[in-house]
Amino acid sequence: MPPVEPVSPVLDTLLSLLAEAPPGHDRKAAEHAAERLDRLEYAARWDGAAPETLAAIAGARMLLGLAAYPCPRRPRIAPRHPTAGARLPN
């Protein structure tokens, strides 16, 4: 089995942040999470983090933004009649 590299402190912090309950529609919680991501990105850039680490932070920021959108409701579609589209006998 190949050796597993340790997780960087930045990624460890990011994973902890993502493991917390999502802010959902709580604007204050979302702003707090965004501030934490900003601080984490700043620290990561200051420490010379790998591009993959910075991309992971950007992805988390995108997920946070998507979490603010309301869930779309699926329109109800009437069930098809079992004989719909069936050929009628001649």
Side-chain angles (χ1 to χ4, degrees):
M1 179 183 292
V4 177
E5 294 184 28
V7 175
S8 75
V10 173
L11 284 180
D12 190 41
T13 303
L14 178 62
L15 292 173
S16 296
L17 193 148
L18 292 175
E20 293 176 8
H25 299 295
D26 182 357
R27 185 181 177 115
K28 192 168 189 162
E31 288 174 359
H32 180 67
E35 289 172 6
R36 289 178 64 191
L37 281 173
D38 288 343
R39 288 193 305 267
L40 182 63
E41 182 179 17
Y42 180 81
R45 287 183 186 279
W46 182 262
D47 290 339
E52 296 83 5
T53 300
L54 297 174
I57 295 170
R61 185 174 281 114
M62 182 184 68
L63 290 174
L64 180 64
L66 289 174
Y69 285 101
C71 292
R73 295 184 179 250
R74 294 179 128 184
R76 287 200 163 255
I77 299 174
R80 292 186 67 159
H81 191 275
T83 59
R87 296 189 72 179
L88 298 175
N90 293 348

